Every structure is written in C-alpha cells, then in structure tokens.
Amino acid sequence: MKALIITDPEHQTQSYEKLLDMVLRDLKEGNYETELVPVKLDPYGFCQGCFQCWVKTPGECALHDGMDQVIEKFIHSQKAVFLSPVIFGQFSSNIKLAVERLLPAELPFFVRADDGETMAPYRAPVMPDQLVIGYGEYLEAEDVRLFNDIIQHRKVIDHEVYQGDEKVFHSHFASFLAKAGDPR
Amino acid sequence: MKQILLINGSPKINEKSTSAMLLEQLKKSFAPAALTWQEVSVRQCASPSQRQNAFKSMSEADVIVVAYPLYHFCLPGVLMKFLEESQETLKSASREEPILFYALVNCGFPEVSSCREPARVLRSFCRQVGGEFRFSILISGGPFLLEMGETVFMRGLMHKVDSSLAVLAREIESGSRENKKDIELQPKMPKKLYLTMLHQGWIQLGKENGLKKKDLLMGQVRQNKMPAPPLSS
C-alpha cells in the first residue's frame, strides 16, 4: 500500500518536524510505502483557472511543470496526507498550489451532496483517502475553526489541526488509516 | 485625498474574470472626480519589484478592496502567496489610522454560503496586519454574471450587484460606516436549472474544442507530454 505526504518546504517549523515524525512512524507501522513530496512555487506554478483540463484536454493540465507526476502519484496512492501550515485560517499558498493543481482529477459536471450543497465530483475512478493536517505555532481559535470549516465544506476529506496533543493525533490518524478506501 | 487600492485576486491570466468585472462595476459606481484609485492584479505581479511596489501601495492605502473568487476550497493560491508576502510590509508600516478592508467574493456554485469562508480568510489576514475589516459582498453565480448579466436569468442579480457596489462606493467616498453586515447575493433560480445551464456551458466550451460530452467525462487523469523536472523526496 502506498501513502503520499505533501508538505510545504517553506514552513518546516518545530511543529512540522514533530508532526512529520509521527505521521511517518504511524504509516510505517501500518506497512505503507511512503513518499514525501515537498511542493512550492517554482518549479511548480499556480493553477491559472483556464479549465483546459475540463474542456480541451480532459484530465490533463495545460501547465507543463512536472505537477502531473505528483498527481499521478497521488491518484495511485491509497492514502494522501497534506501537512499544511495554517495561514489566515487557510492552507499555505504552497499547499494551496498542490490542492488547486488536482483540478484535472475533477469533473465539470457538479452534483448535489446529501446536504443539498453543490460540489465537483472526481474524474479518477479511484481516489486515495485524504487527510489534511494543519499546524502552526501560535494559532488563533478563529483560524483553527476556519481551517476546519473550509475542509469540512468539501465533505470527502478528513482534517484536523495539530496543536501538540499527540494522543488526539494518533487516535485520529489511526481512524484515517482504518478507513476502507474510496467507496465509489 | 483618500488613497484607494483595488486588488484583483483572480488566478486567470488571459481569460475574462468575474473579479475584474466586479471591480470595473465598482469604479463606475464612484462619483466622477470624487476619488482616484490604484489597481493591482496579483497575477500581473510576477517580479519581486512589482510585488514590492504593490505592497508599498497597500501600506500607503486608506482603503483596500480585494476582489477574488472561491477557488478550489477557498482563496486562490496566487492571492494567498501575495497576502503572505505582503504581511511584513503592512505590519511594519507606521500609520495613524488602520487600513479599511472590503472583500468582493464570487463563486461558481449556486449557494452563496460557499463564499463565506473565503471572506473569513481576508478577515483573518486583516486582523493579523492590524487593519479594520469593514464588510464583504458575497455573490454566487459569478460565471453567469460575466457571460449572461443582461439576460432574463441574471438581470435581477446584476441589478442587486450594482446596488450593493453603490453602497460600497458611497461608504468609501463618504467615510460613513452605515452598513454593518456582509451582503449576500445569489441568483433566483432553481438549483436544478442553474446546474443544467452551467453544464450546458461546459459542453459548449468542449464543443468549441471539438469534444463531445462523453469526452469531457473521460475517467482518466493523464500526464502531459513535456519533460519535467525530477521530484525531490
């Protein structure tokens, strides 16, 4: 089984080091073959909102900067973990770059979720279970709430903000690893 | 005279953007000769010197209006990068009064609630740089406003957008703080019709590229053909 960890190389703080150590250990114990992919602006570029990956070359990004290799690894993993600094209550710009560039893996034909809200379905037949873990040294309560609200809105992705409680982390991560995989 | 800065946070480079259109509409709402303003497009701030000039303009502004879309979860990455980098300049600027911030957020979903979180991110940024966040105008159905603003489907929403931008323009001109809360606007049409129209739009764009609907639905994510740099690990 494969696990991909996407990180922001420009925010490798003490919290990050601790978090990464725990994630790697738990994945190893779960017998995952793990790959770490740091993502930052240059060599990769931000999504340009051209939507060519939806209407011109479906499933293929118009930018030729190597991010397609990351997407390839992503969709062929069973678990994908994003380690993101919490900045203004959102992903850092580098992690946001990675998230946006997954657009080719989605379809333009929006569907309504169980709660009535609209969302874009996945193009790829199978997607990895995804977990976003936010971290930061001195986070405001509102930023932690906002970070969780943003990801909660997507419904299909697990999330938590790591604030130093190892017990909570291991318990949540164990539930994530125990998930049965893409239910589609 | 007040220093006003209009920031376009759209990720688009060549395509038309709803954020740019909203800023154009806002400028039309300003009383002639009452105000002057500067404009910055985060997409055009590619070089360090362009960004530094933009951050200087931000630190000297009395009012900053940021227009941006909900883009794949929240704020576009290119705008996040711009805000992250601008922090230092804004925090170190010595000012008598805080900068007043306004957000113009649009999204392609029919529900305007999707715009609330992106507006909260700008609020958080504002708190951290010592600005004063005034209010947001949140608009769903953004792409239709751009393409079909004059049609029967969108005329009502377009009218409300214009009125709301006029409220914002009056507040900026007068310095009054009458409006106390965010303004939320969404198209008045059944979601099913909204999604049908949206999907027809994608099918039409596919057709212009020689593709059928089944091609757009292709279930494969493909690598592109250009050589790429090796991944570090």
Side-chain angles (χ1 to χ4, degrees):
Chain A
M1 291 185 296
K2 289 181 179 172
L4 193 71
I5 307 172
I6 294 179
T7 66
D8 180 340
E10 292 179 333
H11 290 88
Q12 301 200 338
T13 60
Q14 275 189 342
S15 294
Y16 165 82
E17 298 294 348
K18 177 89 186 158
L19 189 54
L20 179 64
D21 188 49
M22 293 191 295
V23 167
L24 288 172
R25 206 170 47 221
D26 285 7
L27 284 170
K28 193 176 175 187
E29 282 173 13
N31 291 320
Y32 281 88
E33 183 190 322
T34 303
E35 184 169 358
L36 203 61
V37 179
V39 173
K40 70 181 187 69
L41 184 63
D42 192 14
Y44 305 119
F46 288 112
C47 175
Q48 300 178 354
C50 66
F51 292 104
Q52 287 196 23
C53 60
W54 282 6
V55 297
K56 192 169 184 180
T57 52
E60 181 181 328
C61 182
L63 293 179
H64 294 173
D65 58 6
M67 182 53 80
D68 58 342
Q69 291 180 30
V70 179
I71 298 174
E72 183 81 3
K73 287 169 189 285
F74 178 85
I75 59 178
H76 288 109
S77 299
Q78 282 68 50
K79 305 285 176 188
V81 182
F82 295 85
L83 299 185
S84 178
V86 178
I87 299 185
F88 316 138
Q90 193 187 285
F91 307 102
S92 68
S93 59
N94 287 331
I95 296 297
K96 187 67 185 10
L97 184 156
V99 169
E100 286 176 2
R101 294 293 299 280
L102 289 168
L103 198 65
E106 294 190 353
L107 287 168
F109 299 104
F110 294 169
V111 294
R112 289 172 72 175
D114 293 342
D115 63 1
E117 289 225 28
T118 309
M119 56 187 293
Y122 286 125
R123 173 189 304 279
V126 181
M127 290 287 278
D129 294 322
Q130 298 169 60
L131 172 65
V132 180
I133 310 176
Y135 63 89
E137 308 305 309
Y138 305 101
L139 296 176
E140 290 182 8
E142 163 57 11
D143 280 358
V144 172
R145 261 195 306 276
L146 177 53
F147 191 84
N148 284 321
D149 287 348
I150 288 169
I151 303 163
Q152 181 71 36
H153 217 132
R154 289 285 299 175
K155 300 169 186 67
V156 292
I157 298 175
D158 287 326
H159 54 92
E160 70 168 278
V161 176
Y162 171 67
Q163 293 186 286
D165 191 329
E166 291 182 32
K167 241 183 181 173
V168 170
F169 166 80
H170 287 298
S171 154
H172 194 171
F173 204 74
S175 316
F176 170 66
L177 292 185
K179 283 183 81 167
D182 192 338
R184 289 175 300 151
Chain B
M1 193 176 263
K2 266 184 200 167
Q3 304 278 322
I4 296 161
L5 184 66
L6 308 178
I7 298 179
N8 178 356
S10 170
K12 291 181 185 296
I13 296 181
N14 298 318
E15 294 81 3
K16 290 188 286 184
S17 82
T18 308
S19 303
M21 183 272 279
L22 292 171
L23 289 177
E24 284 304 313
Q25 292 295 109
L26 175 63
K27 287 190 282 180
K28 287 180 195 163
S29 302
F30 290 144
L35 295 170
T36 58
W37 54 84
Q38 276 187 283
E39 294 177 64
V40 165
S41 163
V42 296
R43 254 305 174 194
Q44 305 308 325
C45 287
S47 71
S49 67
Q50 284 172 317
R51 285 198 294 277
Q52 284 311 317
N53 285 340
F55 302 155
K56 187 166 176 287
S57 299
M58 287 175 83
S59 67
E60 291 170 354
D62 299 299
V63 172
I64 296 180
V65 181
V66 191
Y68 54 99
L70 161 75
Y71 196 68
H72 219 77
F73 282 79
C74 210
L75 259 69
V78 67
L79 175 59
M80 268 304 281
K81 184 77 176 170
F82 182 88
L83 295 179
E84 284 172 6
E85 290 186 348
S86 71
Q87 276 188 96
E88 203 179 316
T89 310
L90 291 187
K91 283 179 181 170
S92 61
S94 74
R95 304 178 52 90
E96 287 180 9
E97 298 286 333
I99 303 169
L100 302 182
F101 281 84
Y102 300 86
L104 288 180
V105 188
N106 77 90
C107 75
F109 292 130
E111 305 91 16
V112 71
S113 56
S114 300
C115 295
R116 289 178 193 151
E117 285 133 11
R120 285 167 64 194
V121 173
L122 193 69
R123 273 182 192 272
S124 172
F125 168 78
C126 189
R127 271 199 312 276
Q128 290 179 41
V129 298
E132 180 183 340
F133 192 89
R134 286 290 302 131
F135 64 87
S136 308
I137 300 178
L138 313 177
I139 307 163
S140 64
F144 288 149
L145 275 181
L146 195 60
E147 301 296 339
M148 303 169 59
E150 296 306 314
T151 65
V152 66
F153 295 109
M154 300 305 284
R155 208 177 293 142
L157 178 62
M158 197 70 211
H159 180 68
K160 285 183 187 168
V161 169
D162 285 343
S163 312
S164 305
L165 292 174
V167 169
L168 171 56
R170 276 198 303 277
E171 167 154 332
I172 293 173
E173 284 163 6
S174 67
S176 73
R177 298 185 181 198
E178 285 168 20
N179 186 49
K180 303 289 184 204
K181 54 183 186 180
D182 291 347
I183 299 172
E184 299 195 348
L185 307 171
Q186 62 185 14
K188 267 197 173 165
M189 69 167 84
K191 269 190 197 176
K192 200 171 173 184
L193 174 62
Y194 180 98
L195 292 181
T196 302
M197 286 167 56
L198 190 68
H199 295 169
Q200 281 307 316
W202 293 122
I203 292 169
Q204 181 57 35
L205 287 171
K207 212 180 259 182
E208 288 166 18
N209 291 310
L211 300 175
K212 294 180 177 165
K213 183 180 175 184
K214 67 175 171 56
D215 300 321
L216 305 188
L217 283 164
M218 191 185 65
Q220 208 180 348
V221 181
R222 297 181 300 178
Q223 281 189 275
N224 48 41
K225 312 291 184 297
M226 294 281 282
L231 295 174
S232 49
S233 58

